[in-house]
């Protein structure tokens, strides 16, 4: 019953959002039954422009994430995944951070990939570390940051190092306090890995507690036997079906997040935000909040950060460059579509604390190095 209510709520929200988008795109806000006396045509045009740019910017990366997720679902077994995951937690976190170099998916494509990996049995702390680190350490982001800060190319190195350290810190904290047995996916996001993660549980004792006792061995064996007998055409059809379902499921939240972000960017001016930033601590919080609100892709946010060069200290710009790709408003909605709300809240708090503390520490180090 709860799942049906959630589906109806999401459907009605999407319908309302599409109605608003129709009026915004057509410029017919004046014909609304309730009117819009305080919102001008220029503002609606800005909402439309920002929404379209955000959506089109994120769409290819989300599609890439969906395709990777579908490949994992259809062609990668739990046993193969178990062989790839290090048993040592520290080594697992470090490998998750470096995985972004090998699999450079933008933050918009992270959610479907990691959700599939968690369903296959990957420990939650490793998957979460990958979500946080990959958008920052991937080569495309590094090159974009270097291009934006040509006068200070070291910012690209600082950003990568700070993002790596913050993601690793959050991953280790999750392992320390809840990572051994945590299963953070929502109950209505698909099949639980209990039925197909027997081999992974054997290889990783800290995942074994996810599995129900009793008949899970027979279920896993039957599942593996059926999967091994599937013809290539059947696997391809499964790949296409999963990709379509995943795309439309995640696409709804991407549209909603992009639209709400467009409203925030339009009606909350940059000058109002700048007025809030005072002092070193305040400037860091302000830039992190600004990164969360505007929800830019990690391959383009460096150019926005460069526009604040000389206005805020370099460490505050680093906080902006690291925090935004990890958690932003648009991504939070997508996280909530796949993960439990409590887990998302804990992740937000841990990421905020880690980025704030490490960026302040980086600022102290940069000031001492310059003096």
């Amino acid at each position: 019953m709860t799942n049906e209510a959630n589906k109806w709520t999401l459907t009605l929200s999407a319908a309302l959002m599409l109605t608003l988008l129709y009026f915004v795109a057509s410029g017919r806000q004046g014909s609304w039954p309730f009117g819009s006396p305080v919102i001008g045509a220029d503002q609606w045009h800005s909402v439309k422009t920002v929404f379209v740019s955000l959506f089109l910017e994120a769409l290819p990366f989300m599609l890439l994430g969906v395709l990777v997720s579908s490949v994992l679902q259809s062609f990668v077994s739990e046993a193969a995944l178990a062989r790839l995951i290090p048993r040592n937690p520290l080594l697992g976190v470090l490998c998750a951070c470096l995985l972004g170099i090998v699999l450079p998916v933008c933050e918009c494509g992270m959610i479907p990939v990691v959700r599939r990996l968690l369903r296959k049995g990957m420990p939650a702390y490793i998957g979460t570390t990958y979500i946080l680190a990959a958008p920052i350490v991937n080569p495309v982001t590094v090159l974009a940051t270097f291009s934006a800060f040509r006068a200070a190319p070291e910012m690209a190195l600082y950003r990568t190092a700070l993002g790596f350290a913050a993601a690793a810190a959050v991953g280790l904290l999750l392992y320390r306090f809840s990572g051994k047995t945590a299963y953070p996916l929502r109950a209505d996001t698909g099949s639980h890995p209990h039925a197909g993660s027997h081999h992974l549980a054997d290889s990783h004792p800290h995942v074994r507690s996810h599995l129900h006792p009793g008949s899970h061995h027979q279920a896993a064996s039957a599942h593996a036997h059926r999967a091994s007998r599937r013809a290539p055409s059947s696997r391809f059809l499964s790949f296409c079906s999963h990709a379509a379902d995943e795309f439309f499921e995640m696409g709804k939240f991407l549209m909603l997040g992009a639209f709400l972000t467009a409203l925030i960017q339009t009606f909350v001016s940059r000058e109002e935000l700048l007025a809030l930033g005072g002092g070193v601590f305040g400037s860091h919080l302000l830039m992190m909040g600004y990164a969360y609100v505007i929800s830019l892709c990690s391959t383009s946010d460096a150019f926005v950060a460069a526009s604040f060069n000389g206005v805020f200290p370099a460490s505050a710009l680093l906080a902006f460059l690291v925090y935004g790709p990890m958690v932003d408003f648009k991504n939070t909605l997508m996280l909530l579509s796949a993960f439990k709300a409590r887990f998302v809240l804990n992740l937000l708090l841990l990421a905020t604390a880690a980025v704030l503390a490490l960026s302040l520490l980086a600022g102290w180090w940069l000031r001492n190095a310059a003096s």
Side-chain angles (χ1 to χ4, degrees):
M1 189 60 133
T2 303
N3 293 349
E4 288 297 322
N6 289 338
K7 290 179 181 178
W8 274 106
T9 301
L10 178 58
T11 301
L12 291 174
S13 299
L16 177 60
M17 182 190 65
L18 290 174
T19 303
L20 291 172
L21 287 176
Y22 166 73
F23 284 110
V24 170
S26 62
R28 297 177 57 185
Q29 68 275 9
S31 62
W32 293 17
F34 46 82
S36 65
V38 297
I39 302 176
D42 290 342
Q43 290 175 311
W44 283 118
H45 180 73
S46 176
V47 170
K48 177 178 66 175
T49 302
V50 174
F51 167 77
V52 171
S53 63
L54 284 173
F55 184 75
L56 293 182
E57 182 183 54
L59 187 61
F61 297 101
M62 191 196 74
L63 180 59
L64 175 62
V66 166
L67 293 176
V68 173
S69 169
S70 301
V71 169
L72 293 172
Q73 163 67 13
S74 304
F75 300 102
V76 179
S77 68
E78 288 84 359
L81 183 63
R83 291 193 296 269
L84 297 175
I85 299 176
R87 298 189 181 189
N88 183 276
L90 178 59
L91 187 58
V93 166
L94 295 179
C95 288
C97 291
L98 295 173
L99 188 59
I101 301 175
V102 182
L103 191 62
V105 182
C106 182
E107 63 266 25
C108 305
M110 288 285 100
I111 312 303
V113 174
V114 173
R115 179 170 63 174
R116 177 53 50 196
L117 290 172
L118 293 181
R119 287 177 183 170
K120 289 282 185 178
M122 173 178 277
Y125 69 93
I126 294 182
T128 303
T129 303
Y130 176 55
I131 288 179
L132 299 178
I136 302 171
V137 303
N138 79 74
V140 179
T141 300
V142 175
L143 289 175
T145 309
F146 178 81
S147 177
F149 288 90
R150 290 190 179 274
E154 66 275 7
M155 288 291 288
L157 176 61
Y158 294 158
R159 180 188 193 181
T160 304
L162 187 62
F164 188 101
V170 173
L172 291 174
L173 286 172
L174 284 175
Y175 172 77
R176 172 63 180 83
F177 294 106
S178 62
K180 291 184 178 181
T181 59
Y183 183 73
L185 294 182
R186 293 168 57 93
D188 56 348
T189 59
S191 59
H192 198 280
H194 296 169
S197 300
H198 177 72
H199 298 294
L200 186 59
D202 289 341
S203 301
H204 294 272
H206 57 271
V207 183
R208 190 178 294 125
S209 58
H210 285 229
L211 309 179
H212 293 307
S215 62
H216 71 287
H217 178 74
Q218 293 87 343
S221 300
H223 176 79
H225 181 66
R226 287 194 301 270
S228 64
R229 296 183 58 184
R230 274 200 287 177
S233 59
S234 175
R235 288 192 176 190
F236 180 73
L237 290 176
S238 173
F239 167 82
C240 294
S241 174
H242 179 269
D245 292 342
E246 195 97 338
F247 178 79
F248 284 108
E249 181 179 355
M250 301 305 300
K252 291 181 290 189
F253 288 92
L254 176 61
M255 289 182 65
L256 180 60
F259 181 67
L260 293 177
T261 302
L263 290 176
I264 293 171
Q265 287 197 39
T266 300
F267 297 108
V268 180
S269 69
R270 173 173 164 172
E271 289 73 20
E272 292 174 343
L273 291 174
L274 286 174
L276 300 176
V280 176
F281 189 79
S283 63
H284 284 69
L285 287 177
L286 170 67
M287 293 305 292
M288 290 170 63
Y290 190 50
Y292 184 86
V293 167
I294 62 175
S295 303
L296 292 177
C297 180
S298 61
T299 57
S300 58
D301 59 357
F303 297 94
V304 175
S307 67
F308 290 98
N309 200 11
V311 179
F312 293 116
S315 56
L317 302 185
L318 287 173
F320 173 90
L321 291 169
V322 172
Y323 189 70
M326 286 187 172
V327 287
D328 59 34
F329 183 77
K330 168 170 53 67
N331 225 31
T332 299
L333 293 180
M334 297 179 71
L335 283 169
L336 288 170
S337 72
F339 295 88
K340 298 173 183 176
R342 183 175 180 179
F343 178 83
V344 175
L345 177 60
N346 290 335
L347 178 60
L348 290 174
L349 293 175
L350 285 174
T352 301
V355 173
L356 181 60
L358 290 174
S359 62
L360 289 171
L361 182 62
W364 173 81
W365 180 79
L366 288 173
R367 286 192 300 271
N368 285 344
S371 60

